[in-house]
Amino acid sequence: MDDQENLNDTTRQQLELLTGLLAKVSRLEFEVATRQTRQKLEADIDAHDLQLLSEEFSRKSLRSRKLESLQMVLVDVKEKFEASLSDQTSIIASQKLNIVRDSIA
């Protein structure tokens, strides 16, 4: 019977050891799966943030080009307005000069 009891004790110890090892393996698998999930989520978030930054840069770049274009148009309009104003000033001065000549003559 001693041999049978020793065999049972040895088997029980091995079973306890295997159960403990299985629990450790399960815990490690869970930790690895959790870490992989976290890394994937972080990568997805980083990719999404990068996409948002890229879209924002594109919008700002487009807005900047539109503002530059608008600025060029405004400069052109200003120059034309100043030229027109100069022409009108010359015409008015000429008309006033003619009125003064007519009144003298």
Side-chain angles (χ1 to χ4, degrees):
M1 239 3 196
D2 275 343
D3 287 339
Q4 186 63 34
E5 287 177 10
N6 283 340
L7 184 59
N8 286 344
D9 284 343
T10 303
T11 303
R12 186 173 43 256
Q13 288 173 353
Q14 288 176 344
L15 185 58
E16 288 173 359
L17 180 62
L18 286 173
T19 303
L21 288 173
L22 183 59
K24 285 182 181 181
V25 167
S26 294
R27 228 179 2 261
L28 288 173
E29 286 176 340
F30 175 75
E31 289 175 9
V32 167
T34 302
R35 187 177 306 123
Q36 287 174 340
T37 302
R38 184 179 332 114
Q39 288 172 344
K40 172 140 180 31
L41 287 173
E42 288 172 351
D44 288 348
I45 289 170
D46 289 345
H48 182 68
D49 288 349
L50 184 60
Q51 177 65 28
L52 290 176
L53 287 172
S54 175
E55 289 171 3
E56 183 177 348
F57 177 77
S58 292
R59 282 192 304 273
K60 285 185 178 182
S61 178
L62 178 62
R63 188 178 306 134
S64 176
R65 288 192 305 269
K66 285 181 179 179
L67 286 173
E68 288 173 1
S69 176
L70 180 59
Q71 185 177 19
M72 289 185 339
V73 168
L74 289 175
V75 166
D76 187 48
V77 167
K78 177 186 170 211
E79 289 171 353
K80 287 179 180 177
F81 176 76
E82 288 173 345
S84 172
L85 187 61
S86 176
D87 290 345
Q88 289 177 3
T89 303
S90 295
I91 291 170
I92 292 172
S94 176
Q95 288 174 344
K96 285 183 178 180
L97 183 60
N98 287 339
I99 291 173
V100 169
R101 280 188 196 154
D102 289 345
S103 67
I104 292 175

